[in-house]
Amino acid sequence: MIMADTEMTALYALKEVGFRYGLEWVLKGINLTIERGEILGIIGPNGSGKTSLLKILARQQRPVEGDVRFESTNLRAISFRRLAQRVGMVPQEHPVVFPYTVLEVVLMGRYPYLKGWAFESAEDYRIARSAMERMGVGRFAGRLFSELSGGEKQRVIIARALAQQPQVLLLDEPATFLDLHHQSQIYSLLGELNRNEKMTVVVVSHDLNMASQICRRLLLLKEGRIAGLGTPWEVLTAKAIEEVYRCRTLIDSHPITGKPRLTMVPD
Amino acid sequence: MTMLTIGRWLRILSLLTVIWLITILICLLEGTEPISLSDAVGIFWAHLSSETGGAMDVGKSTILLQVRLPRVLLAGLVGGTLAVVGVTLQALLRNPLADPFVIGISSGSALGVVLSLLVGLNVFYWGLSTLPLFGFLGGLITLFSLYRLSQVHGKIFVQTLLLGGVILNAMLSAVIMFIAYMMDADKVMGIVYWLMGNLGSPDMKALAVVAVYALIGMAVLFGLGRGLNLLALGDETAVTLGLDAERTKRIAFFASALLTGAVVSVSGLISFVGIMIPHVLRMLIGSDHRLLLPASVLGGGIFLMAADMIARTLIAPTEIPVGVITALCGGPFFLYLLWRGKMKISNA
């Protein structure tokens, strides 16, 4: 899809969004626009509302107050099916209790495209297979999902999200269970999807250094409110980190990428 | 690699249908009074061509057409219904041990039926008995209470739901026993016998009533195959894969209550069919609900028809309630699942 620059509107627009479980506000007063084609990193300490914000973008949680728009339409007015053709989500946990095979799980990424009673077409199989090859899980196709290791499951779930052929990919701690090799693989994949396929990426991460390297913009959350929003150099300052995370860090420039690099300073 | 294609779907369901038909045939012939195949064919032929009288044995004809045929068909319908509801509840609750009996929907339905009998509310509309309707209401109220009980901030806590179901089941059973105790002595025996899980020999009209309710419920569930696949992965994941999870769950719970109410009203409390059959089928044909739902209707039917035949013939001429047979098969199976689950955890 070719679009003139003037037609570029925000992909997501959040206005005064608030969310709570019971009486406790998890998010409050969130104003945020996410542009097409950007990589946005959501960072912040445990319990700062990162996952809740991602779930609101994925429509898994409904905000208690405020307004969420996707492509200028109220998120709730879009059909689940249509949204699933545009937005893929990689959650943190993958509870699968029944014996589904890996290929079955990945093929579920094609469900938003299936009509009525139809079974998956040869094209659906091709797309699912190529997503699996891309994530290096092609050889697991016939194995049971529940028998894979944490890192393998993670890659299968990313393959499922890719099978949705989304324009936006939302990821919640995608590298948590992965070893160093697979971590770097995921992060270069995100960069590649963003560059070559113009995919918008929103990633929640605990790894501030990784977020700094791959994200164009960072959103720093503290106790459910925005504590910083901007380029990595704007957001990752020693002062902000000390305020939000209550620990001292040294920030210098990464010798290769020139992005900010954090080093913990013991008290 | 066993992926679900239209070819595989047709193959497996045709095979199960053939086994289902053969089971019906065997169950029709076997019994206290065995009927040979040629006699049976003769009786059916005579019946179809409306040749009354003739050389046919009237006794055998009555046994086959008015006693066994409705009973076998009812067993097939009840077994299939219990299994398909089991599959559905297991997907909705993401727990392979869920079943209409275990979580108390069956008891809720039974209470609905008993209450309507108590106040003498069994109206017939266009020849349709309202007993299944009261069973449906009882099951629905139970399911709804359970659902609310285990919902916190819009999320269902499955463990709470299962435990709550077990407790509700016990409470509802106590209420049923209390009502039965207060009833006339001559009515009590009938109710107790029905509660034990009993297929009896319904007349064709009673059978038709259950069939109408059951077929509506099944048709609804068959349409949810893909949705149940997604719900089995969790509500939140289902949403991001394009499913209106809340709506799908509501429809599935509603249909489950309808189906449970219908079968409980006619056959009482038959346990474990809803756990055992889905589990065996998942091992044999996989977890894709587009195939699993119709396959469980056939598989559950085959199992209950066979169990009922055993109940009729084991210590003939005395009949054992079929619920006793299914519980004796299902209880150990349930324990085996728990034991295997424990082994899996301790090995992990």
Side-chain angles (χ1 to χ4, degrees):
Chain A
M1 196 167 29
I2 301 161
M3 225 181 273
D5 278 355
T6 49
E7 279 177 304
M8 288 281 277
T9 51
L11 189 64
Y12 274 104
L14 282 72
K15 213 152 111 199
E16 289 299 320
V17 166
F19 180 74
R20 64 176 177 200
Y21 289 107
L23 291 174
E24 204 168 326
W25 287 94
V26 178
L27 289 170
K28 190 78 181 151
I30 302 291
N31 288 298
L32 172 70
T33 55
I34 300 172
E35 302 295 334
R36 268 173 227 278
E38 77 166 319
I39 302 189
L40 175 71
I42 303 177
I43 56 174
N46 293 332
S48 58
K50 305 187 294 296
T51 297
S52 296
L53 180 55
L54 200 71
K55 284 184 174 176
I56 285 173
L57 297 179
R59 206 183 167 181
Q60 289 178 336
Q61 299 280 18
R62 185 196 293 187
V64 176
E65 57 179 31
D67 181 48
V68 182
R69 284 174 183 276
F70 179 78
E71 294 178 328
S72 351
T73 314
N74 192 318
L75 195 61
R76 291 191 43 211
I78 302 170
S79 80
F80 286 96
R81 202 180 148 86
R82 203 178 124 90
L83 193 67
Q85 294 175 359
R86 285 165 176 68
V87 182
M89 167 84 170
V90 178
Q92 217 175 100
E93 287 169 346
H94 325 294
V96 176
V97 289
F98 295 110
Y100 286 110
T101 64
V102 168
L103 182 55
E104 277 174 329
V105 169
V106 176
L107 272 172
M108 288 188 205
R110 298 304 299 163
Y111 278 23
Y113 297 92
L114 297 183
K115 290 197 181 78
W117 273 72
F119 290 99
E120 292 84 353
S121 67
E123 176 73 356
D124 292 319
Y125 275 89
R126 195 190 57 72
I127 292 166
R129 289 260 181 212
S130 90
M132 287 164 73
E133 290 308 326
R134 189 163 195 175
M135 294 314 300
V137 291
R139 68 202 144 93
F140 300 145
R143 297 226 340 237
L144 290 183
F145 179 81
S146 51
E147 289 172 1
L148 300 182
S149 75
E152 289 163 349
K153 281 182 183 168
Q154 186 73 24
R155 286 184 285 144
V156 170
I157 296 302
I158 297 176
R160 184 182 70 198
L162 293 181
Q164 285 174 259
Q165 299 187 312
Q167 296 157 12
V168 190
L169 195 56
L170 310 174
L171 306 100
D172 194 354
E173 304 276 4
T176 311
F177 297 109
L178 302 180
D179 58 37
L180 213 52
H181 164 69
H182 286 115
Q183 272 188 32
S184 82
Q185 192 197 19
I186 299 280
Y187 285 119
S188 47
L189 173 87
L190 295 184
E192 200 183 290
L193 289 169
N194 179 255
R195 270 192 315 278
N196 303 342
E197 284 157 51
K198 305 281 171 265
M199 206 181 279
T200 310
V201 176
V202 180
V203 55
V204 165
S205 180
H206 265 305
D207 186 341
L208 299 182
N209 274 314
M210 238 347 144
S212 162
Q213 302 311 311
I214 65 160
C215 297
R216 195 168 317 159
R217 281 202 307 160
L218 293 177
L219 172 70
L220 178 62
L221 289 177
K222 186 196 177 191
E223 288 161 12
R225 290 172 182 276
I226 295 182
L229 176 63
T231 64
W233 276 116
E234 287 163 359
V235 174
L236 296 176
T237 61
K239 186 166 167 282
I241 298 298
E242 184 158 3
E243 243 177 60
V244 173
Y245 285 91
R246 278 173 296 158
C247 70
R248 286 171 59 212
T249 49
L250 179 77
I251 293 172
D252 61 358
S253 175
H254 190 288
I256 294 169
T257 62
K259 299 276 179 64
R261 179 175 65 175
L262 281 80
T263 314
M264 290 264 287
V265 181
D267 289 320
Chain B
M1 199 60 233
T2 52
M3 285 313 299
L4 188 57
T5 55
I6 188 75
R8 183 162 178 267
W9 192 84
L10 283 173
R11 267 200 311 282
I12 290 177
L13 289 183
S14 319
L15 179 68
L16 278 169
T17 306
V18 170
I19 301 174
W20 188 76
L21 289 170
I22 292 171
T23 312
I24 291 182
L25 187 65
I26 295 172
C27 290
L28 283 177
L29 302 183
E30 282 304 318
T32 335
E33 175 84 6
I35 296 173
S36 72
L37 185 59
S38 57
D39 279 356
V41 172
I43 291 168
F44 275 116
W45 181 251
H47 185 72
L48 287 178
S49 53
S50 346
E51 277 176 36
T52 42
M56 252 15 265
D57 185 335
V58 180
K60 276 190 179 174
S61 170
T62 309
I63 289 175
L64 186 68
L65 294 177
Q66 280 161 41
V67 180
R68 265 184 220 162
L69 184 63
R71 178 169 185 157
V72 170
L73 290 180
L74 180 68
L77 194 65
V78 169
T81 302
L82 291 174
V84 81
V85 173
V87 166
T88 307
L89 291 177
Q90 286 152 24
L92 291 175
L93 301 178
R94 285 185 290 289
N95 191 308
L97 301 182
D99 152 275
F101 184 78
V102 173
I103 66 170
I105 308 177
S106 294
S107 298
S109 299
L111 183 59
V113 172
V114 170
L115 281 177
S116 82
L117 286 175
L118 185 70
V119 295
L121 255 179
N122 182 20
V123 195
F124 285 83
Y125 283 108
W126 308 299
L128 289 186
S129 162
T130 50
L131 278 188
L133 201 64
F134 283 100
F136 167 54
L137 286 176
L140 198 64
I141 292 169
T142 313
L143 194 53
F144 184 75
S145 326
L146 205 52
Y147 203 78
R148 292 311 296 260
L149 187 78
S150 46
Q151 199 172 27
V152 182
H153 305 319
K155 276 200 185 119
I156 295 292
F157 283 76
V158 174
Q159 298 307 328
T160 317
L161 199 150
L162 280 171
L163 280 175
V166 171
I167 294 163
L168 264 184
N169 197 359
M171 285 164 52
L172 291 166
S173 305
V175 175
I176 294 171
M177 279 193 282
F178 177 72
I179 293 174
Y181 185 74
M182 301 305 281
M183 274 180 158
D184 305 333
D186 55 325
K187 276 191 186 168
V188 170
M189 208 42 221
I191 286 187
V192 168
Y193 197 58
W194 164 74
L195 281 176
M196 279 194 273
N198 175 41
L199 289 162
S201 288
D203 58 37
M204 277 299 193
K205 208 162 90 182
L207 181 64
V209 172
V210 189
V212 168
Y213 284 99
L215 291 178
I216 293 173
M218 286 178 190
V220 171
L221 289 184
F222 286 177
L224 300 180
R226 228 164 39 209
L228 290 182
N229 281 347
L230 294 181
L231 284 175
L233 301 183
D235 294 5
E236 292 194 336
T237 297
V239 165
T240 57
L241 291 173
L243 186 76
D244 187 340
E246 285 308 315
R247 185 170 158 268
T248 310
K249 274 194 315 199
R250 269 201 302 277
I251 297 172
F253 274 129
F254 211 74
S256 299
L258 177 67
L259 285 164
T260 309
V263 299
V264 165
S265 72
V266 61
S267 64
L269 302 178
I270 297 176
S271 54
F272 291 117
V273 179
I275 294 181
M276 223 172 356
I277 301 305
H279 194 84
V280 170
L281 285 173
R282 273 198 197 90
M283 287 195 292
L284 293 174
I285 63 174
S287 302
D288 195 318
H289 289 84
R290 289 171 287 185
L291 176 61
L292 197 54
L293 289 167
S296 65
V297 168
L298 295 167
I302 293 166
F303 172 75
L304 199 60
M305 287 190 284
D308 183 50
M309 189 180 74
I310 295 169
R312 283 187 283 132
T313 55
L314 196 63
I315 48 169
T318 309
E319 260 187 31
I320 309 165
V322 70
V324 173
I325 303 285
T326 60
L328 283 179
C329 298
F333 186 80
F334 198 99
L335 290 176
Y336 160 76
L337 284 189
L338 285 175
W339 175 76
R340 218 184 57 146
K342 192 186 72 186
M343 286 297 122
K344 230 178 214 170
I345 291 165
S346 63
N347 286 342

